[in-house]
């Protein structure tokens, strides 16, 4: 009997060693040989589970693209790109994009929304805004810092705060995991646009791998941090909402008008459950792009608005793009900057 047990243990150890060796070789292949776009998604999962940091991911946590092509005041990409107050090429407006959860299903986009930004008008003109793209290789909902420690104070949020101090207009946009961070930073921006945010990263999800992955990689003590901060921002923005169009605001005044628009896929069970965790919602049904553009909410300069779309998948921006309404919708959101500047 002892001999059988020893035989089984020996082969079990050999099997484990073989798996570890193959995983190691596969990782080396992804790092040094593979050119497939999905390699970043796989490496991000390995990084999140093992806490191993890969330079090819870390070096692209941030990507900065100034509107002025002659500006050399910032690195083009880096783990952290802090705003340079001495830069004389800076635009009045900056788009800040938070990479979303596509990395959970295989993809990884470092510059999400980049093509869309090129087609949007901020302040009446196309292409005049600086762009900052943020990603989270740890897939931690931006709750990990660069040392891989849990960062409840959130370096990413503090970074957005620093940008908000030197730009007249700050626009945040993101989907899925990125949308969660948009909502958590919405008190620091003029306009925030979120598509299907995860109010709670560990709420019941239809994807078993995603549910297991997030529960494993995010400590129980932080399971509610997104919901708490999102709700806090919603309450804060609604509190400072004002109907006094004659009121004046300083550029660095944290009580100036702020507006947050959250778009949900109402027919998606997962996203509907996420939306129900938010209190004090003003829910509007998105019926038609023409009605949307002419709605009172599009003339409001502050507040929080929730839009339910008749769609049953999590990938709402892709759906809206296929219907040729995404750009018009985003532009309608940005047009509020013209009204905010008059206040």
């Amino acid at each position: 009997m002892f001999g059988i047990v020893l035989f089984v243990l020996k082969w079990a150890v050999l099997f484990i060693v073989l798996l570890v060796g193959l995983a190691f070789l596969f990782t080396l292949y992804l790092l040094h040989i593979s050119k497939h776009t999905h390699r970043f998604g796989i490496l991000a999962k390995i990084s999140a589970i093992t806490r191993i940091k890969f330079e090819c991911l870390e070096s692209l946590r941030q990507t900065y693209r100034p509107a002025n092509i002659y500006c050399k005041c910032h690195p083009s990409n880096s783990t952290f790109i802090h705003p340079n107050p001495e830069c004389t090429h800076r635009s009045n407006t900056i788009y800040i994009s938070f990479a979303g959860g596509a990395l959970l299903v295989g993809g990884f986009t470092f510059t999400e929304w980049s093509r869309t930004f090129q087609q949007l008008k901020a302040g009446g003109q196309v292409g005049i805004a600086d762009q900052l793209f943020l990603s989270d290789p740890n897939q931690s909902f931006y709750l990990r810092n660069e040392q891989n420690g849990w960062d409840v104070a959130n370096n990413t949020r503090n970074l957005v705060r620093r940008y908000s101090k030197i730009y007249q207009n700050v626009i945040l946009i993101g989907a899925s995991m990125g949308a969660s961070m948009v909502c958590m930073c919405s008190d620091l921006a003029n306009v925030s646009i979120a598509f299907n945010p995860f109010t709670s990263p560990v709420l019941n999800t239809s994807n078993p791998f995603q549910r297991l992955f997030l529960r494993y990689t995010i400590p129980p003590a932080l399971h509610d941090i997104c919901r708490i901060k999102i709700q806090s921002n919603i309450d804060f923005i609604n509190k400072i909402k004002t109907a006094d169009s004659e009121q004046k605001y300083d550029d660095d005044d944290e009580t100036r008008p702020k507006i947050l628009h959250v778009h949900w896929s109402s027919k998606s069970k997962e996203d509907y459950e996420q939306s129900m965790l938010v209190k004090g919602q003003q829910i509007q049904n998105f019926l038609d792009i023409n009605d949307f553009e002419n709605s009172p909410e599009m003339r409001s300069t502050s507040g929080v608005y929730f839009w339910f779309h008749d769609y049953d998948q999590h990938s709402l921006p892709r759906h809206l793009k296929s219907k040729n309404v995404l750009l018009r919708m985003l532009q309608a959101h940005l047009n509020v900057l013209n009204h905010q500047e008059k206040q």
Side-chain angles (χ1 to χ4, degrees):
M1 183 66 181
F2 178 76
I4 295 176
V5 172
L6 187 63
F7 176 82
V8 172
L9 286 176
K10 181 179 70 172
W11 281 102
V13 170
L14 287 174
F15 180 71
I16 292 173
V17 170
L18 179 62
L19 283 180
V20 172
L22 289 174
F24 177 73
L25 292 175
F26 183 58
T27 301
L28 291 179
Y29 167 76
L30 292 174
L31 287 171
H32 303 293
I33 300 177
S34 174
K35 300 299 181 182
H36 198 284
T37 55
H38 281 185
R39 71 186 186 280
F40 293 120
I42 299 173
L43 287 172
K45 292 177 177 64
I46 296 173
S47 177
I49 294 173
T50 64
R51 307 297 185 253
I52 297 173
K53 298 171 70 174
F54 300 111
E55 183 60 26
C56 62
L57 298 180
E58 297 297 324
S59 64
L60 291 171
R61 276 183 177 268
Q62 294 186 24
T63 302
Y64 181 82
R65 293 179 182 172
N68 188 323
I69 61 174
Y70 300 105
C71 176
K72 305 298 181 183
C73 303
H74 305 77
S76 59
N77 54 66
S78 175
T79 300
F80 278 94
I81 302 176
H82 296 290
N84 183 354
E86 305 301 323
C87 176
T88 59
H89 313 95
R90 187 170 57 244
S91 170
N92 290 330
T93 302
I94 186 169
Y95 294 119
I96 299 181
S97 161
F98 296 97
L103 44 86
L104 288 172
V105 292
F108 197 103
T109 305
F110 294 109
T111 56
E112 218 167 83
W113 301 97
S114 59
R115 293 183 181 179
T116 302
F117 290 159
Q118 298 302 321
Q119 303 175 66
L120 294 174
K121 295 180 181 180
Q125 291 180 282
V126 176
I128 66 166
D130 298 334
Q131 303 170 24
L132 179 65
F133 302 92
L134 305 178
S135 65
D136 178 16
N138 298 126
Q139 305 187 27
S140 66
F141 283 73
Y142 296 87
L143 296 176
R144 279 189 176 278
N145 57 28
E146 66 275 24
Q147 287 81 32
N148 254 349
W150 288 104
D151 182 23
V152 179
N154 207 296
N155 282 354
T156 304
R157 177 178 159 79
N158 291 335
L159 182 70
V160 174
R161 183 188 299 277
R162 293 183 63 180
Y163 277 96
S164 72
K165 295 295 185 181
I166 63 173
Y167 279 91
Q168 180 179 339
N169 299 314
V170 178
I171 302 164
L172 308 182
I173 187 168
S176 191
M177 183 182 74
S180 300
M181 198 61 200
V182 166
C183 294
M184 287 192 281
C185 294
S186 56
D187 59 321
L188 304 174
N190 300 68
V191 179
S192 301
I193 309 167
F195 293 91
N196 283 331
F198 281 90
T199 312
S200 171
V202 295
L203 185 68
N204 179 42
T205 171
S206 58
N207 187 326
F209 169 78
Q210 181 176 317
R211 181 168 61 249
L212 177 63
F213 178 84
L214 292 174
R215 287 186 180 276
Y216 171 77
T217 56
I218 300 179
L222 297 181
H223 284 179
D224 283 336
I225 192 69
C226 292
R227 179 185 58 80
I228 293 172
K229 184 55 187 173
I230 289 173
Q231 190 65 59
S232 173
N233 276 357
I234 289 172
D235 295 341
F236 173 74
I237 294 173
N238 280 329
K239 182 178 180 180
I240 66 172
K241 180 180 179 181
T242 175
D244 183 5
S245 60
E246 300 300 321
Q247 188 170 350
K248 302 296 183 182
Y249 298 92
D250 296 330
D251 286 345
D252 61 350
D253 188 351
E254 292 191 359
T255 62
R256 60 180 169 175
K258 309 170 192 301
I259 192 161
L260 167 63
H261 288 279
V262 183
H263 296 267
W264 301 100
S265 298
S266 63
K267 295 298 180 65
S268 164
K269 180 177 181 294
E270 175 184 334
D271 294 312
Y272 181 79
E273 290 178 350
Q274 293 282 350
S275 72
M276 290 298 101
L277 294 179
V278 179
K279 300 177 181 178
Q281 298 185 67
Q282 299 183 47
I283 298 175
Q284 310 293 327
N285 290 314
F286 180 89
L287 302 175
D288 175 80
I289 185 61
N290 294 315
D291 291 339
F292 176 82
E293 291 174 325
N294 295 300
S295 66
E297 291 76 20
M298 291 300 100
R299 295 191 295 273
S300 176
T301 59
S302 60
V304 183
Y305 301 97
F306 296 84
W307 301 89
F308 273 12
H309 295 256
D310 187 17
Y311 187 56
D312 61 358
Q313 300 294 320
H314 187 63
S315 53
L316 182 57
R318 183 183 302 174
H319 167 71
L320 295 172
K321 185 177 181 179
S322 70
K323 297 295 184 182
N324 295 319
V325 299
L326 180 62
L327 276 177
R328 288 179 62 180
M329 176 186 297
L330 295 177
Q331 190 59 64
H333 286 320
L334 296 187
N335 289 340
V336 73
L337 292 173
N338 298 326
H339 301 297
Q340 288 183 348
E341 290 173 356
K342 295 177 181 178
Q343 292 189 324

